Amino acid sequence: MQQGLPHSKLAPTWQMLMLGDGSPTRHLQLLTGEPTEVDVIDMSAIGMDGDHAPNQLQVVPGPRLRRQVWLRTASGQRLAYATSWWEASHVDEYLQNRSLPIWASLAQLRTELYRDVQGIYYGHSAALEQAFGQPGPLWGRHYLFWHRGQPLTLIYEVFSPYLTKYLGATRLDG
């Protein structure tokens, strides 16, 4: 993934979103021209459960808390679904206002991070396609945030096909 994917698999604009090390919340705001807001679906203590998360969850110390959100425009258009897993004893330190996007919370604290993209996904999810109000296929990814050389959180994101309005087709033909 360090070299990117062939453009026949994922267009350059989508690669910037999927494989870049910048904030997707900030990118969504720049793309849509609207503030990116969060609808918190759930925040649950999961202890040491694997929670059907990517294997990289094992490097996040436990016990853990899982946070699930929708990222949407201020006008209500859902742009992404995200789940993050945090060490429960530190989540309040980094997410002081849990209704803010992670990027906004960490930016307020001036937290320096390294985003380490670990995997990308392409496929269908009837539940997410219905929630987005858009047919798939869907693109997603998971990554670790590192802070001071330690894993801070694991984040899994799936982006709405609605973003083709701003980013163009997900693949370049030819």
Side-chain angles (χ1 to χ4, degrees):
M1 283 188 299
Q2 292 291 339
Q3 313 308 320
L5 298 172
H7 294 168
S8 60
K9 300 273 187 215
L10 187 60
T13 53
W14 280 87
Q15 289 196 49
M16 290 172 62
L17 178 66
M18 296 290 299
L19 301 176
D21 57 8
S23 165
T25 308
R26 176 81 171 128
H27 291 158
L28 294 173
Q29 183 173 321
L30 292 170
L31 286 170
T32 65
E34 293 186 55
T36 302
E37 297 183 355
V38 169
D39 291 327
V40 178
I41 302 166
D42 178 58
M43 287 190 77
S44 298
I46 61 164
M48 296 304 292
D49 185 56
D51 201 37
H52 304 288
N55 291 336
Q56 289 81 2
L57 180 62
Q58 300 310 313
V59 302
V60 177
R64 300 180 195 101
L65 180 115
R66 177 191 61 227
R67 178 180 188 245
Q68 295 176 282
V69 302
W70 292 110
L71 298 176
R72 62 170 174 78
T73 61
S75 62
Q77 179 65 50
R78 286 183 178 166
L79 303 174
Y81 163 82
T83 302
S84 56
W85 294 269
W86 299 80
E87 183 177 1
S89 63
H90 291 301
V91 72
D92 289 332
E93 177 182 346
Y94 294 103
L95 296 180
Q96 294 172 358
N97 180 346
R98 294 181 182 192
S99 66
L100 289 177
I102 291 172
W103 166 76
S105 294
L106 297 175
Q108 284 180 347
L109 297 170
R110 304 230 188 302
T111 306
E112 293 182 28
L113 299 167
Y114 170 67
R115 183 188 318 266
D116 186 8
V117 178
Q118 296 284 311
I120 60 172
Y121 307 93
Y122 176 79
H124 290 272
S125 164
L128 288 176
E129 290 173 45
Q130 182 179 9
F132 286 135
Q134 300 281 320
L138 306 169
W139 281 93
R141 67 180 183 169
H142 74 272
Y143 54 91
L144 286 163
F145 265 159
W146 294 84
H147 177 59
R148 297 186 186 137
Q150 300 297 315
L152 178 63
T153 184
L154 174 67
I155 299 177
Y156 169 81
E157 298 167 329
V158 179
F159 296 97
S160 171
Y162 179 80
L163 292 173
T164 58
K165 174 180 177 177
Y166 302 102
L167 296 170
T170 58
R171 299 172 6 165
L172 298 181
D173 295 324

